[in-house]
Amino acid sequence: SGTNCRKGWQLTHNTASAHACSQTGAGIYRVMNKTRLVGLLFAATVLFQVPMMKLGSDKARPFTPITTVAAQLVLAVEDTPDAPGDPTDAVRALLFPGELVWGAWDAYVCATSHAACSEDKAAWMPRWSTFVNVRELKGIDRRISRVFGNKKPQIIAGSFFALGGAMMAVLRGNAGTLGLFSVVMLLWPLLSSTGVTPQYGLLVYLALAWQTVSISAARSAAVAKRKKKKAADHAAAAGKVEADISDLKHGHSTARSKGDKAKQADAEPKKVK
């Protein structure tokens, strides 16, 4: 019985092919779902500012790629004690998801402790106009320069790659090669610099980036297997059509030969007994 494998799969004409088609489709669907899940986790690691490195011995917030990108975007902003600089809404939008998570954590700590907290730390929702401080972002840039020295360009490039990979993961479900590039650019300065303490977020980030590459390879292999099977099914279908045409031609030729013999027999004079 004919079975139509929809959603871009091949047309099959028997139960075995239909079963194989459904198995191939289910396998690719599972790989695509796993790819999207890992991609979204990768994006969350970047956008929600999961700590990756502690720079030096100070108690400032640990290094994250997205704060490094934001620090580069405000370097040209004039900032003085009398006239604080405006980081622009683009930088605020970039940092808001992470600040929302950190703000909720700070508010929880304030609510469950007896220590005095500032009004900003006790607020569950960061204030849009004040939660980004240009001076703090420039301080992050100075700390990166102090810790990494001439390897700072690699850190900046890796941070931009990480942000690009996170955006691709949100939009396409896969961080692609940008995620792998970000790992290479960030990991080398970390391993070759002193005064850097890895945080748990770095391990999570590396694992998700590796999973992204591994799943992408599995997905490519599944797609290649599907294309190979599709070509084999098309070749088998074409061979069957050719065989049917050959049988029809042979049957037509046999019928025509029998008709010619019958006409010849009718044309011969009958013998009188």
Side-chain angles (χ1 to χ4, degrees), residues 88-142:
T88 72
D89 288 337
V91 175
R92 292 188 182 96
L94 193 64
L95 296 175
F96 188 78
E99 292 295 331
L100 187 63
V101 174
W102 280 92
W105 173 253
D106 289 340
Y108 171 78
V109 171
C110 288
T112 55
S113 67
H114 300 288
C117 293
S118 64
E119 184 179 353
D120 290 337
K121 281 195 171 184
W124 289 89
M125 181 73 68
R127 294 181 181 178
W128 181 261
S129 58
T130 60
F131 80 90
V132 178
N133 189 299
V134 173
R135 192 170 304 168
E136 288 182 2
L137 291 177
K138 289 186 175 183
I140 291 173
D141 182 71
R142 288 192 296 271

Side-chain angles (χ1 to χ4, degrees), residues 164-237:
M167 293 302 180
M168 285 186 62
V170 171
L171 297 176
R172 298 176 52 186
N174 184 5
T177 55
L178 287 177
L180 182 61
F181 287 162
S182 68
V183 169
V184 174
M185 299 298 287
L186 292 174
L187 197 59
W188 170 246
L190 171 63
L191 296 176
S192 58
S193 300
T194 58
V196 180
T197 305
Q199 301 290 296
Y200 66 91
L202 182 64
L203 181 60
V204 174
Y205 184 78
L206 294 176
L208 292 173
W210 172 255
Q211 281 292 317
T212 300
V213 175
S214 177
I215 292 173
S216 296
R219 182 179 180 182
S220 299
V223 171
K225 182 178 179 181
R226 186 194 75 187
K227 289 182 178 179
K228 184 177 180 181
K229 188 178 184 308
K230 183 177 181 180
D233 287 346
H234 282 174

Side-chain angles (χ1 to χ4, degrees), residues 5-204:
C5 252
R6 305 297 294 274
K7 297 183 180 179
W9 315 128
Q10 65 273 21
L11 183 66
T12 58
H13 299 280
N14 55 70
T15 305
S17 297
H19 179 66
C21 176
S22 64
Q23 284 186 333
T24 303
I28 294 178
Y29 183 73
R30 287 194 297 270
V31 171
M32 291 177 66
N33 277 351
K34 189 176 180 182
T35 303
R36 177 163 291 277
L37 176 61
V38 172
L40 291 178
L41 291 175
F42 179 90
T45 304
V46 177
L47 298 178
F48 292 141
Q49 302 180 28
V50 176
M52 294 189 184
M53 313 176 199
K54 187 176 180 181
L55 307 181
S57 57
D58 52 6
K59 297 182 179 180
R61 187 172 294 181
F63 166 88
T64 63
I66 202 166
T67 53
T68 303
V69 171
Q72 305 312 304
L73 297 179
V74 301
L75 287 179
V77 177
E78 294 291 338
D79 181 75
T80 62
D82 297 331
D86 180 21
T88 72
D89 288 337
V91 175
R92 292 188 182 96
L94 193 64
L95 296 175
F96 188 78
E99 292 295 331
L100 187 63
V101 174
W102 280 92
W105 173 253
D106 289 340
Y108 171 78
V109 171
C110 288
T112 55
S113 67
H114 300 288
C117 293
S118 64
E119 184 179 353
D120 290 337
K121 281 195 171 184
W124 289 89
M125 181 73 68
R127 294 181 181 178
W128 181 261
S129 58
T130 60
F131 80 90
V132 178
N133 189 299
V134 173
R135 192 170 304 168
E136 288 182 2
L137 291 177
K138 289 186 175 183
I140 291 173
D141 182 71
R142 288 192 296 271
R143 281 195 298 142
I144 293 174
S145 300
R146 184 178 69 251
V147 173
F148 294 105
N150 59 359
K151 301 182 184 70
K152 177 184 175 181
Q154 299 177 21
I155 292 293
I156 294 173
S159 298
F160 274 97
F161 284 148
L163 179 59
M167 293 302 180
M168 285 186 62
V170 171
L171 297 176
R172 298 176 52 186
N174 184 5
T177 55
L178 287 177
L180 182 61
F181 287 162
S182 68
V183 169
V184 174
M185 299 298 287
L186 292 174
L187 197 59
W188 170 246
L190 171 63
L191 296 176
S192 58
S193 300
T194 58
V196 180
T197 305
Q199 301 290 296
Y200 66 91
L202 182 64
L203 181 60
V204 174

